[in-house]
Amino acid sequence: MKGLDHPFLTRDHAFRVLAHDFRGAGLASPELDARLLVMAAARCREIDMIRDPGMRLGPEVAAVLAHYRERRLAREPVSRILGRREFWGLSFSLSGATLDPRPDSEVLVEAAIAALDGRVNPRVLDLGTGTGCLLLAVLSDVTGATGVGIDISPEAVSLAHGNALQLGLEHRAVFHQGNWTDGLDERFDLVISNPPYIPRADIAGLEPEVRTFDPQTALDGGVDGLDAYRLLAGGLGRVLNRDGTGIIELGAGQAEAVSGLFSAAGLAIERVADDLGGVPRALIVTN
C-alpha cells in the first residue's frame, strides 16, 4: 500500500494507510483511531469523510498525519495527540498533568445527577478534579448547581478553569490548588471524586497508553491502592452536609475494601453502581 507521501493522497487513502499500520501494530481500535486523526489533520467532519472520501490532501496535511502516525505507534493515545477528550457529550482539553477521562467514569456523573434531583441550587465539590470533567459534567446537567474543584497540581487547576471557560460554566465553577479536603471550611450537598487507586506494583503492567501518558500521581494509590480512599474517608464527613452524598470512583475489585473504610468513618453505604461493563465503579455514601 502506498504511504502518506503519495502525491495524490486523499482522505480515504490516508485513512486506509493509518488503519493498516495501526492494525499491524496491534492497537485496539485501528479504524477509529485512523478516522479521528485524519479528520483532525484535514479539519473535516465525519460526514465529510463519507461524502467526499476522494478529497485531495496537501503536503502540509500529509506531514501532520505522518507526525500523528508516529505518535500513535508509540502508543500515545489519540486524545493526547489531539489534546482533547469527549466526556458526557462535552469536549475537554487535556494536559500531561491530568488523567485522560474514561467513559467508565460517566457512571459517577449519572449517580450525581440522580442524587441532586430536587435540590435547589446545590453545591458540589470535586476532589482531585484533573480536567474538571466530573464537576463540569454535573453542572452542565443540573440547573442552578455551582461547585468547587480541588487538585494538587496547579497546572491541572489552570486547565480545569480553561475547560469551564470553553463550556460557558466559568461563573458556576471555581478551581483551587489543594490536598483533598485540607483547609476546606464549607459543606457541600455532593462530593465527587476519582482518586488514584492503582496498586503501585500494578502500574508497570498497565497498557502503555495509561502507564506512559497518564500522570503517576493520578494513578498511584499506594501499596494496596487504598491510600487516597483512607484520606477521603477521613475527611468526607467534615465537608458533606448532614444529608449530603459522596460518590467515589472504585478500581476493579475494590468495592468491599473501600466500602469498609467509609463505613468505619461513620458514613452510610447507600449502594455501589456498576459501569457499562458491569464492573462495580461508583461507591455512593451518605452523611
Short mmCIF file of all heavy atoms in Angstrom, two decimals, residues 59-103:
data_model
loop_
_atom_site.label_atom_id
_atom_site.label_comp_id
_atom_site.label_asym_id
_atom_site.label_seq_id
_atom_site.Cartn_x
_atom_site.Cartn_y
_atom_site.Cartn_z
N PRO A 59 0.45 18.53 0.99
CA PRO A 59 1.64 18.05 1.69
C PRO A 59 1.70 18.46 3.16
O PRO A 59 2.26 17.73 3.98
CB PRO A 59 2.79 18.67 0.89
CG PRO A 59 2.18 19.79 0.11
CD PRO A 59 0.77 19.39 -0.17
N GLU A 60 1.12 19.61 3.48
CA GLU A 60 1.12 20.03 4.88
C GLU A 60 0.29 19.08 5.74
O GLU A 60 0.69 18.68 6.84
CB GLU A 60 0.56 21.46 5.02
CG GLU A 60 1.38 22.52 4.32
CD GLU A 60 1.02 22.65 2.85
OE1 GLU A 60 0.12 21.91 2.37
OE2 GLU A 60 1.65 23.49 2.17
N VAL A 61 -0.88 18.68 5.23
CA VAL A 61 -1.73 17.73 5.95
C VAL A 61 -1.04 16.37 6.03
O VAL A 61 -1.08 15.71 7.07
CB VAL A 61 -3.11 17.60 5.26
CG1 VAL A 61 -3.94 16.51 5.93
CG2 VAL A 61 -3.84 18.93 5.30
N ALA A 62 -0.40 15.96 4.95
CA ALA A 62 0.32 14.68 4.96
C ALA A 62 1.42 14.67 6.01
O ALA A 62 1.63 13.65 6.70
CB ALA A 62 0.91 14.41 3.58
N ALA A 63 2.11 15.80 6.16
CA ALA A 63 3.17 15.88 7.17
C ALA A 63 2.60 15.79 8.58
O ALA A 63 3.18 15.13 9.46
CB ALA A 63 3.95 17.19 6.99
N VAL A 64 1.47 16.45 8.81
CA VAL A 64 0.82 16.36 10.11
C VAL A 64 0.40 14.93 10.39
O VAL A 64 0.61 14.40 11.50
CB VAL A 64 -0.40 17.31 10.17
CG1 VAL A 64 -1.21 17.06 11.44
CG2 VAL A 64 0.04 18.76 10.11
N LEU A 65 -0.17 14.26 9.40
CA LEU A 65 -0.61 12.88 9.58
C LEU A 65 0.56 11.95 9.86
O LEU A 65 0.45 11.02 10.67
CB LEU A 65 -1.37 12.40 8.35
CG LEU A 65 -2.82 12.86 8.25
CD1 LEU A 65 -3.40 12.49 6.90
CD2 LEU A 65 -3.65 12.26 9.37
N ALA A 66 1.68 12.18 9.20
CA ALA A 66 2.87 11.35 9.45
C ALA A 66 3.33 11.51 10.89
O ALA A 66 3.74 10.54 11.54
CB ALA A 66 3.98 11.73 8.48
N HIS A 67 3.25 12.75 11.40
CA HIS A 67 3.61 13.01 12.80
C HIS A 67 2.64 12.31 13.74
O HIS A 67 3.06 11.67 14.72
CB HIS A 67 3.62 14.51 13.04
CG HIS A 67 4.00 14.91 14.42
ND1 HIS A 67 5.19 14.56 15.02
CD2 HIS A 67 3.32 15.65 15.35
CE1 HIS A 67 5.24 15.05 16.24
NE2 HIS A 67 4.11 15.71 16.47
N TYR A 68 1.34 12.43 13.45
CA TYR A 68 0.33 11.75 14.26
C TYR A 68 0.57 10.24 14.26
O TYR A 68 0.43 9.57 15.29
CB TYR A 68 -1.07 12.03 13.72
CG TYR A 68 -1.62 13.41 13.97
CD1 TYR A 68 -2.82 13.81 13.37
CD2 TYR A 68 -0.98 14.32 14.81
CE1 TYR A 68 -3.36 15.06 13.60
CE2 TYR A 68 -1.51 15.58 15.04
CZ TYR A 68 -2.70 15.95 14.43
OH TYR A 68 -3.25 17.18 14.65
N ARG A 69 0.88 9.69 13.08
CA ARG A 69 1.09 8.25 12.95
C ARG A 69 2.21 7.78 13.87
O ARG A 69 2.05 6.77 14.58
CB ARG A 69 1.43 7.92 11.49
CG ARG A 69 1.83 6.48 11.24
CD ARG A 69 2.30 6.29 9.80
NE ARG A 69 2.77 4.93 9.59
CZ ARG A 69 3.99 4.49 9.90
NH1 ARG A 69 4.88 5.32 10.46
NH2 ARG A 69 4.33 3.24 9.67
N GLU A 70 3.32 8.48 13.86
CA GLU A 70 4.46 8.07 14.69
C GLU A 70 4.10 8.15 16.17
O GLU A 70 4.49 7.27 16.96
CB GLU A 70 5.67 8.94 14.38
CG GLU A 70 6.23 8.76 12.97
CD GLU A 70 6.45 7.30 12.63
OE1 GLU A 70 7.11 6.59 13.43
OE2 GLU A 70 5.97 6.85 11.57
N ARG A 71 3.38 9.15 16.56
CA ARG A 71 3.00 9.29 17.96
C ARG A 71 2.04 8.17 18.39
O ARG A 71 2.18 7.59 19.47
CB ARG A 71 2.36 10.66 18.21
CG ARG A 71 3.36 11.80 18.09
CD ARG A 71 2.70 13.16 18.16
NE ARG A 71 2.12 13.44 19.47
CZ ARG A 71 1.50 14.59 19.78
NH1 ARG A 71 1.38 15.53 18.85
NH2 ARG A 71 1.01 14.77 20.99
N ARG A 72 1.09 7.84 17.52
CA ARG A 72 0.15 6.77 17.89
C ARG A 72 0.85 5.43 17.92
O ARG A 72 0.55 4.59 18.79
CB ARG A 72 -1.02 6.75 16.90
CG ARG A 72 -2.11 5.76 17.31
CD ARG A 72 -2.79 6.18 18.60
NE ARG A 72 -3.66 5.16 19.16
CZ ARG A 72 -3.37 4.40 20.22
NH1 ARG A 72 -2.21 4.53 20.85
NH2 ARG A 72 -4.23 3.51 20.66
N LEU A 73 1.77 5.18 16.99
CA LEU A 73 2.51 3.92 17.01
C LEU A 73 3.40 3.82 18.24
O LEU A 73 3.76 2.71 18.65
CB LEU A 73 3.33 3.77 15.73
CG LEU A 73 2.52 3.51 14.45
CD1 LEU A 73 3.43 3.50 13.24
CD2 LEU A 73 1.74 2.20 14.55
N ALA A 74 3.75 4.96 18.83
CA ALA A 74 4.49 4.97 20.09
C ALA A 74 3.55 4.81 21.29
O ALA A 74 3.97 4.94 22.43
CB ALA A 74 5.29 6.26 20.22
N ARG A 75 2.27 4.53 20.99
CA ARG A 75 1.21 4.23 21.97
C ARG A 75 0.69 5.45 22.69
O ARG A 75 0.03 5.34 23.73
CB ARG A 75 1.66 3.15 22.96
CG ARG A 75 2.11 1.86 22.31
CD ARG A 75 1.00 1.16 21.53
NE ARG A 75 -0.06 0.67 22.37
CZ ARG A 75 -0.08 -0.56 22.90
NH1 ARG A 75 0.91 -1.39 22.64
NH2 ARG A 75 -1.09 -0.95 23.65
N GLU A 76 0.95 6.63 22.15
CA GLU A 76 0.32 7.82 22.71
C GLU A 76 -1.15 7.80 22.32
O GLU A 76 -1.49 7.63 21.15
CB GLU A 76 0.97 9.09 22.19
CG GLU A 76 0.44 10.37 22.82
CD GLU A 76 1.21 11.61 22.41
OE1 GLU A 76 2.19 11.50 21.65
OE2 GLU A 76 0.81 12.70 22.86
N PRO A 77 -2.06 7.97 23.29
CA PRO A 77 -3.49 7.92 22.96
C PRO A 77 -3.89 9.03 21.99
O PRO A 77 -3.30 10.12 21.99
CB PRO A 77 -4.17 8.12 24.33
CG PRO A 77 -3.14 7.76 25.33
CD PRO A 77 -1.82 8.13 24.72
N VAL A 78 -4.91 8.75 21.19
CA VAL A 78 -5.40 9.75 20.24
C VAL A 78 -5.83 11.02 20.98
O VAL A 78 -5.58 12.14 20.52
CB VAL A 78 -6.58 9.18 19.42
CG1 VAL A 78 -7.28 10.27 18.63
CG2 VAL A 78 -6.08 8.09 18.48
N SER A 79 -6.45 10.86 22.13
CA SER A 79 -6.89 12.04 22.89
C SER A 79 -5.70 12.91 23.30
O SER A 79 -5.81 14.14 23.32
CB SER A 79 -7.67 11.60 24.13
OG SER A 79 -6.90 10.69 24.91
N ARG A 80 -4.57 12.29 23.62
CA ARG A 80 -3.37 13.06 23.97
C ARG A 80 -2.79 13.75 22.72
O ARG A 80 -2.35 14.89 22.79
CB ARG A 80 -2.32 12.14 24.58
CG ARG A 80 -2.71 11.49 25.89
CD ARG A 80 -2.56 12.42 27.03
NE ARG A 80 -2.89 11.78 28.30
CZ ARG A 80 -3.14 12.45 29.42
NH1 ARG A 80 -3.09 13.77 29.43
NH2 ARG A 80 -3.44 11.81 30.53
N ILE A 81 -2.80 13.04 21.61
CA ILE A 81 -2.29 13.62 20.37
C ILE A 81 -3.09 14.86 20.00
O ILE A 81 -2.53 15.90 19.61
CB ILE A 81 -2.32 12.58 19.24
CG1 ILE A 81 -1.36 11.42 19.55
CG2 ILE A 81 -1.97 13.22 17.89
CD1 ILE A 81 -1.51 10.24 18.61
N LEU A 82 -4.40 14.76 20.12
CA LEU A 82 -5.28 15.86 19.73
C LEU A 82 -5.49 16.87 20.85
O LEU A 82 -5.99 17.97 20.61
CB LEU A 82 -6.63 15.31 19.27
CG LEU A 82 -6.59 14.33 18.09
CD1 LEU A 82 -7.99 13.90 17.71
CD2 LEU A 82 -5.86 14.93 16.90
N GLY A 83 -5.12 16.48 22.07
CA GLY A 83 -5.26 17.39 23.20
C GLY A 83 -6.67 17.57 23.69
O GLY A 83 -6.96 18.50 24.45
N ARG A 84 -7.58 16.65 23.31
CA ARG A 84 -8.97 16.78 23.72
C ARG A 84 -9.58 15.39 23.93
O ARG A 84 -9.16 14.41 23.31
CB ARG A 84 -9.81 17.52 22.67
CG ARG A 84 -9.30 18.89 22.30
CD ARG A 84 -10.36 19.73 21.65
NE ARG A 84 -11.41 20.10 22.59
CZ ARG A 84 -11.31 21.08 23.48
NH1 ARG A 84 -10.20 21.79 23.56
NH2 ARG A 84 -12.30 21.35 24.29
N ARG A 85 -10.58 15.34 24.79
CA ARG A 85 -11.32 14.10 25.03
C ARG A 85 -12.79 14.46 25.22
O ARG A 85 -13.13 15.40 25.95
CB ARG A 85 -10.79 13.41 26.27
CG ARG A 85 -11.71 12.37 26.86
CD ARG A 85 -11.79 11.11 26.02
NE ARG A 85 -10.63 10.26 26.23
CZ ARG A 85 -10.55 9.03 25.75
NH1 ARG A 85 -11.53 8.53 25.02
NH2 ARG A 85 -9.46 8.32 25.97
N GLU A 86 -13.68 13.70 24.58
CA GLU A 86 -15.11 13.89 24.82
C GLU A 86 -15.52 13.07 26.04
O GLU A 86 -15.14 11.90 26.18
CB GLU A 86 -15.92 13.48 23.60
CG GLU A 86 -17.41 13.75 23.77
CD GLU A 86 -18.22 13.52 22.52
OE1 GLU A 86 -17.90 14.17 21.50
OE2 GLU A 86 -19.16 12.70 22.57
N PHE A 87 -16.30 13.70 26.91
CA PHE A 87 -16.78 13.04 28.13
C PHE A 87 -18.16 13.62 28.43
O PHE A 87 -18.32 14.85 28.46
CB PHE A 87 -15.81 13.31 29.29
CG PHE A 87 -16.22 12.69 30.60
CD1 PHE A 87 -15.90 11.38 30.91
CD2 PHE A 87 -16.93 13.44 31.54
CE1 PHE A 87 -16.28 10.82 32.12
CE2 PHE A 87 -17.31 12.89 32.75
CZ PHE A 87 -16.98 11.57 33.05
N TRP A 88 -19.12 12.75 28.63
CA TRP A 88 -20.51 13.16 28.90
C TRP A 88 -21.03 14.10 27.80
O TRP A 88 -21.78 15.03 28.04
CB TRP A 88 -20.62 13.83 30.27
CG TRP A 88 -22.00 13.88 30.83
CD1 TRP A 88 -22.81 14.99 30.93
CD2 TRP A 88 -22.77 12.80 31.37
NE1 TRP A 88 -24.02 14.65 31.49
CE2 TRP A 88 -24.02 13.31 31.78
CE3 TRP A 88 -22.52 11.44 31.55
CZ2 TRP A 88 -25.00 12.51 32.35
CZ3 TRP A 88 -23.50 10.65 32.12
CH2 TRP A 88 -24.73 11.18 32.51
N GLY A 89 -20.60 13.86 26.57
CA GLY A 89 -21.04 14.68 25.45
C GLY A 89 -20.41 16.05 25.39
O GLY A 89 -20.81 16.88 24.55
N LEU A 90 -19.42 16.31 26.24
CA LEU A 90 -18.72 17.59 26.27
C LEU A 90 -17.27 17.38 25.87
O LEU A 90 -16.72 16.30 26.05
CB LEU A 90 -18.79 18.20 27.68
CG LEU A 90 -20.18 18.33 28.30
CD1 LEU A 90 -20.06 18.73 29.77
CD2 LEU A 90 -21.02 19.34 27.54
N SER A 91 -16.64 18.43 25.35
CA SER A 91 -15.24 18.33 24.92
C SER A 91 -14.33 18.99 25.95
O SER A 91 -14.54 20.15 26.31
CB SER A 91 -15.07 19.01 23.56
OG SER A 91 -13.74 18.88 23.10
N PHE A 92 -13.32 18.23 26.41
CA PHE A 92 -12.40 18.71 27.43
C PHE A 92 -10.97 18.73 26.92
O PHE A 92 -10.51 17.76 26.30
CB PHE A 92 -12.47 17.81 28.67
CG PHE A 92 -13.76 17.91 29.43
CD1 PHE A 92 -14.83 17.09 29.11
CD2 PHE A 92 -13.91 18.84 30.44
CE1 PHE A 92 -16.03 17.19 29.79
CE2 PHE A 92 -15.11 18.96 31.13
CZ PHE A 92 -16.17 18.14 30.80
N SER A 93 -10.27 19.83 27.19
CA SER A 93 -8.84 19.88 26.91
C SER A 93 -8.10 19.02 27.93
O SER A 93 -8.52 18.91 29.09
CB SER A 93 -8.32 21.32 26.98
OG SER A 93 -8.89 22.11 25.97
N LEU A 94 -6.98 18.44 27.48
CA LEU A 94 -6.14 17.61 28.34
C LEU A 94 -4.76 18.23 28.47
O LEU A 94 -4.36 19.06 27.66
CB LEU A 94 -5.96 16.21 27.74
CG LEU A 94 -7.18 15.38 27.40
CD1 LEU A 94 -6.76 14.07 26.78
CD2 LEU A 94 -8.01 15.13 28.64
N SER A 95 -4.03 17.79 29.48
CA SER A 95 -2.60 18.11 29.57
C SER A 95 -1.91 16.95 30.26
O SER A 95 -2.55 16.03 30.77
CB SER A 95 -2.37 19.41 30.36
OG SER A 95 -2.40 19.18 31.76
N GLY A 96 -0.58 17.01 30.29
CA GLY A 96 0.18 15.95 30.94
C GLY A 96 -0.03 15.89 32.44
O GLY A 96 0.36 14.91 33.09
N ALA A 97 -0.69 16.90 33.01
CA ALA A 97 -0.94 16.93 34.45
C ALA A 97 -2.27 16.31 34.84
O ALA A 97 -2.59 16.22 36.02
CB ALA A 97 -0.89 18.38 34.96
N THR A 98 -3.04 15.88 33.83
CA THR A 98 -4.38 15.38 34.13
C THR A 98 -4.59 13.98 33.60
O THR A 98 -4.02 13.58 32.58
CB THR A 98 -5.46 16.29 33.50
OG1 THR A 98 -5.37 16.23 32.08
CG2 THR A 98 -5.31 17.72 33.97
N LEU A 99 -5.44 13.25 34.29
CA LEU A 99 -5.89 11.95 33.82
C LEU A 99 -6.71 12.14 32.55
O LEU A 99 -7.41 13.14 32.38
CB LEU A 99 -6.75 11.30 34.90
CG LEU A 99 -7.01 9.79 34.83
CD1 LEU A 99 -5.72 9.03 35.11
CD2 LEU A 99 -8.08 9.41 35.85
N ASP A 100 -6.63 11.18 31.65
CA ASP A 100 -7.46 11.17 30.46
C ASP A 100 -8.83 10.62 30.86
O ASP A 100 -8.94 9.46 31.24
CB ASP A 100 -6.80 10.27 29.41
CG ASP A 100 -7.48 10.30 28.06
OD1 ASP A 100 -8.58 10.86 27.96
OD2 ASP A 100 -6.90 9.76 27.11
N PRO A 101 -9.89 11.43 30.82
CA PRO A 101 -11.20 10.93 31.27
C PRO A 101 -11.63 9.69 30.50
O PRO A 101 -11.46 9.61 29.29
CB PRO A 101 -12.14 12.11 30.97
CG PRO A 101 -11.25 13.31 30.94
CD PRO A 101 -9.95 12.83 30.38
N ARG A 102 -12.20 8.72 31.23
CA ARG A 102 -12.66 7.47 30.63
C ARG A 102 -14.18 7.38 30.68
O ARG A 102 -14.80 7.87 31.63
CB ARG A 102 -12.09 6.27 31.39
CG ARG A 102 -10.77 5.73 30.90
CD ARG A 102 -9.63 6.63 31.24
NE ARG A 102 -8.34 5.94 31.04
CZ ARG A 102 -7.18 6.51 31.31
NH1 ARG A 102 -7.13 7.74 31.80
NH2 ARG A 102 -6.06 5.85 31.11
N PRO A 103 -14.76 6.70 29.70
CA PRO A 103 -16.22 6.53 29.71
C PRO A 103 -16.74 5.86 30.98
O PRO A 103 -17.86 6.13 31.41
CB PRO A 103 -16.48 5.65 28.48
CG PRO A 103 -15.33 5.92 27.57
CD PRO A 103 -14.15 6.15 28.47
#
